[in-house]
Amino acid sequence: MDKGAAAAPEHVLPSPSQITQSLNNLHKQLPPRGLGFEAAKQHLKQDMAPALNANSQSSRYYGFVTGGATPAAIFADNMVTEYDQNVQVHLPEETIATDVEAAALDMVCELVRLDPTVWKHRTFTTGATASNILGLACAREHIIKTAAARRGVTADVSSQGLFAAMRAAGIHNIRILTTTPHSSLKKAASILGLGHDSVNTMCEHGVNNPYTFDMAQLEEALQTGGRNIATIISVSCSEVNSGLFATDANLMLRLRTLATRHGAWLHVDAAFGLLARILPSNAEYEYLKDGAGELHLADSIAADAHKLFNVPYDCGIFLSKHLDTATAVFQNPGAPYLNAPDGTVPSPLNIGIENSRRFRALPVYANLVAYGRDGFVEMLERQIELAREIAAYIDASDAYRLLPSKYHEEGYNEQTIFIIVLFKAVNSDLNAELKQKINATRKIYVSGTTWQGESACRFAISNWRSSVQQDFEVIKEVLDGVAASSVNRIA
Ligand SMILES: *Cc1c(COP(=O)(O)O)cnc(C)c1O
C-alpha cells in the first residue's frame, strides 16, 4: 500500500508559533460581503493547512487510534464529496449508491470471515461510538422483549418506550456487564437512558488484570439477578489503553452459553480489534487470533473503519444478527414516501441512526478493491511488527517500563502486543512530563493516559504508512534523547 501517496510531512505537530499566527488570522466575524472563493481558498491554504496536525499524513503520529487514509480511500472520499449522494433510501433504479454500500459491507464480512447471511443487519456509521449506541439500542429492545416473552407477556421499547416496556416485562433494572470498557460505552448507555452507572466491570484479579472476564463473578451476577434484571454483556475486543483482549475462544463460548440461558445480549466493541481476525494462523498471532476468533458468537459487533481500515474520518461499521430488532428500533415511521421499492437491500434509514447520510461506504469499497485481502494483511502485519519492536526496546530499556504490570509478572510476551504499546518512565519526575517531552520534539506523537493511577504514555500504530525500520529509528532516537535529558538534569 504505497502507491501514489504524497510525501509525509516532517513534523507531526505544527509549531506553536504557527498556531498563534493562524489563530490571529482566523475570521471570527461574518464578513458582510464574502471574500470570494479564491480569497477563501488562499486563506484556508495559508492559514489553516499549516496549523493542522499530521495525525493522518504522518506515520509517526501515534496518538489515540487515528488510522490514516490510503490514496485509494482519499480518491474515493473526494468523489463522495463531489457527487454528494444522500444514501438513505435504497433506490436501485436511480442510483447505485446503496448497492455499493451493500457490496462494501459484504466484502467487510468476507474480509473478517463473518457470514453475511447470518449478520443480516449491516450498516456504516459515523464511528465506533455510534456503533456502540446501535448495539446497546438493539440490545435494549431484545432483552426486554425476551424477558416479556419468558413471562408470557409482550413488551417492546421501540413502541412503548423504556419505562412502560420495562414495567410490562417485569424488569426493574438493565445492566451492562463488561471488563475495562471504552469510554464511549458509558456515553452510549447515557444516551439510551440506561445511565453510566449501568456499566459494571467484572474483572479477573481486580485491578491487576482489568481486561479479562471473571467468569465466576459474572455467572453469579446472572444467577442472582433473577428475572427482574435484564443484562447486556459487552466484550472489549482489544482495549484501547493496552490493546489486550477481554476474551479468548473458550471465554466467548462460555459467554454465549450464559447470554442465551439468561436472555442477555452479547455485544462486542471491536473498534480496532476486528481486524485481528484477518491475521494468518501462526504462533506469532495466536493470542490475537484467539482474542478475536470467536466473535461470530456475539449478537452485535461495533467497529471502526477510520482506524485500521484506513479510510478518512468519519466511518464506523455495525454488524448484528438481528435485522428484525434493528427494523423495530430504527424504522422511520409514517413517511411512506421514503419506502424503498424493493426489499433486497434494506434502506439505511430504517436500520441506523441517521436519515440523510453521507456515502461513506465508497472509501471502504475503494480500499477493499484496491488492496484486497493480501494488502490488508500486509498492512496489519507491518503495524504489529513495529509495535512489537517498540515494546521490545522499552522492555529492554532501563529508563522505561512496559505496562501493564501483567508483562512483568509473567515476563514480557511479545505475542500479547497488538498495535498498542503502553509504557511509563522509571524516573517519576520524567514520567510526570513524559508525554510533553516526547511530543515537544514534534518528531513523534504519543497519547498520555494513566495506568493504575499513574501517568503513562501509549503508542497506537494504525497508519497504513507505518514503516518498521524508518519509524523505529526515529522513535528510538526520540526516546533515547528524552531519557538522556532527564539523566543530565539529575546529574
Ligand atoms: C476508538 C474506539 C471507540 C470509539 O470510536 P470512535 O470512532 O471515536 O467513535 C470505541 N471503542 C474502542 C475500543 C475504540 O478504540
Side-chain angles (χ1 to χ4, degrees):
M1 283 198 194
D2 58 356
K3 299 122 198 151
E10 194 179 333
H11 294 291
V12 293
L13 296 179
S15 67
S17 63
Q18 178 65 59
I19 290 189
T20 308
Q21 186 193 322
S22 289
L23 276 175
N24 287 339
N25 293 344
L26 205 62
H27 290 267
K28 297 190 185 77
Q29 276 173 337
L30 177 69
R33 204 170 280 166
L35 310 181
F37 175 40
E38 276 311 315
K41 196 160 111 187
Q42 277 310 310
H43 171 54
L44 298 191
K45 282 174 128 174
Q46 274 165 20
D47 297 322
M48 307 288 112
L52 299 174
N53 69 27
N55 70 358
S56 179
Q57 293 174 341
S58 169
S59 67
R60 298 193 298 276
Y61 185 98
Y62 305 114
F64 310 93
V65 184
T66 49
T70 66
I74 290 173
F75 176 82
D77 205 61
N78 287 332
M79 203 170 138
V80 170
T81 301
E82 200 172 331
Y83 287 84
D84 198 20
Q85 301 287 286
N86 182 1
V87 190
Q88 58 165 331
V89 179
H90 179 51
L91 300 167
E93 280 154 27
E94 299 170 27
T95 169
I96 198 177
T98 44
D99 287 298
V100 174
E101 179 162 329
L105 287 162
D106 281 350
M107 286 194 284
V108 167
C109 283
E110 197 183 335
L111 177 68
V112 300
R113 302 188 201 282
L114 291 170
D115 181 353
T117 65
V118 173
W119 295 85
K120 289 198 170 74
H121 178 200
R122 309 187 282 282
T123 191
F124 286 109
T125 66
T126 51
T129 301
S131 298
N132 279 332
I133 294 170
L134 259 64
L136 296 191
C138 292
R140 191 179 68 165
E141 179 80 2
H142 176 89
I143 58 180
I144 297 290
K145 219 179 229 175
T146 304
R150 289 186 177 187
R151 279 168 193 262
V153 296
T154 56
D156 64 285
V157 179
S158 52
S159 48
Q160 293 174 288
L162 186 57
F163 306 116
M166 282 175 72
R167 218 178 304 121
I171 294 295
H172 299 166
N173 192 12
I174 297 178
R175 64 186 169 183
I176 301 163
L177 305 182
T178 186
T179 56
T180 303
H182 188 267
S183 51
S184 63
L185 192 72
K186 286 191 175 177
K187 178 173 177 168
S190 162
I191 292 170
L192 291 163
L194 306 178
H196 298 170
D197 292 351
S198 68
V199 178
N200 295 288
T201 54
M202 307 235 136
C203 311
E204 209 180 322
H205 314 311
V207 291
N208 286 328
N209 184 5
Y211 302 111
T212 320
F213 274 102
D214 179 338
M215 291 304 287
Q217 200 190 348
L218 182 73
E219 206 157 348
E220 186 179 326
L222 287 165
Q223 294 292 357
T224 54
R227 298 171 85 190
N228 297 328
I229 299 181
T231 304
I232 300 163
I233 299 170
S234 179
V235 174
S236 297
C237 180
S238 202
E239 189 270 336
V240 73
N241 229 355
S242 63
L244 293 173
F245 289 74
T247 56
D248 55 21
N250 174 36
L251 279 189
M252 266 311 275
L253 197 58
R254 288 168 67 191
L255 289 179
R256 178 69 266 169
T257 307
L258 283 175
T260 305
R261 185 184 308 149
H262 295 280
W265 177 282
L266 188 54
H267 174 69
V268 177
D269 181 353
F272 59 94
L274 183 64
L275 268 201
R277 292 175 64 84
I278 73 172
L279 290 166
S281 302
N282 60 37
E284 262 183 282
Y285 302 128
E286 211 173 302
Y287 169 80
L288 309 177
K289 294 279 287 181
D290 205 22
E294 303 293 302
L295 297 195
H296 62 274
L297 296 172
D299 291 296
S300 58
I301 299 173
D304 258 320
H306 51 223
K307 291 179 180 168
L308 293 185
F309 278 78
N310 272 264
V311 300
Y313 285 97
D314 44 23
C315 189
I317 297 163
F318 181 74
L319 304 171
S320 153
K321 291 174 179 163
H322 307 269
L323 184 59
D324 289 352
T325 306
T327 314
V329 175
F330 297 107
Q331 182 73 40
N332 194 58
Y337 60 95
L338 290 177
N339 285 347
D342 94 37
T344 51
V345 174
S347 282
L349 88 163
N350 288 327
I351 57 167
I353 296 172
E354 301 93 356
N355 278 10
S356 298
R357 284 161 86 245
R358 184 174 172 83
F359 190 15
R360 54 173 67 87
L362 195 64
V364 176
Y365 177 88
N367 258 358
L368 292 166
V369 168
Y371 308 117
R373 180 180 297 283
D374 61 344
F376 271 77
V377 171
E378 184 277 325
M379 168 172 67
L380 186 58
E381 288 198 277
R382 188 156 31 87
Q383 291 163 339
I384 294 171
E385 193 183 338
L386 176 59
R388 290 180 176 182
E389 190 107 3
I390 298 168
Y393 161 85
I394 289 172
D395 190 56
S397 113
D398 294 329
Y400 301 106
R401 173 156 305 146
L402 191 64
L403 302 169
S405 49
K406 184 179 192 290
Y407 298 135
H408 288 274
E409 285 157 18
E410 298 171 10
Y412 166 59
N413 174 0
E414 118 170 341
Q415 260 203 31
T416 59
I417 301 285
F418 183 27
I419 54 139
I420 303 235
V421 183
L422 182 66
F423 70 107
K424 68 174 186 179
V426 174
N427 178 306
S428 58
D429 289 338
L430 174 60
N431 195 46
E433 36 178 42
L434 186 60
K435 179 197 151 189
Q436 285 76 3
K437 284 200 149 189
I438 291 173
N439 294 346
T441 66
R442 296 167 61 224
K443 291 181 181 165
I444 66 171
Y445 183 94
V446 296
S447 277
T449 182
T450 59
W451 168 252
Q452 297 187 345
E454 263 189 273
S455 323
C457 288
R458 65 188 259 294
F459 285 89
I461 318 295
S462 57
N463 200 303
W464 67 275
R465 293 175 187 269
S466 292
S467 136
V468 180
Q469 262 85 44
Q470 282 168 22
D471 289 347
F472 181 67
E473 281 308 307
V474 179
I475 291 165
K476 187 171 167 318
E477 180 195 313
V478 169
L479 292 183
D480 282 347
V482 166
S485 75
S486 122
V487 172
N488 293 341
R489 198 183 48 185
I490 291 161

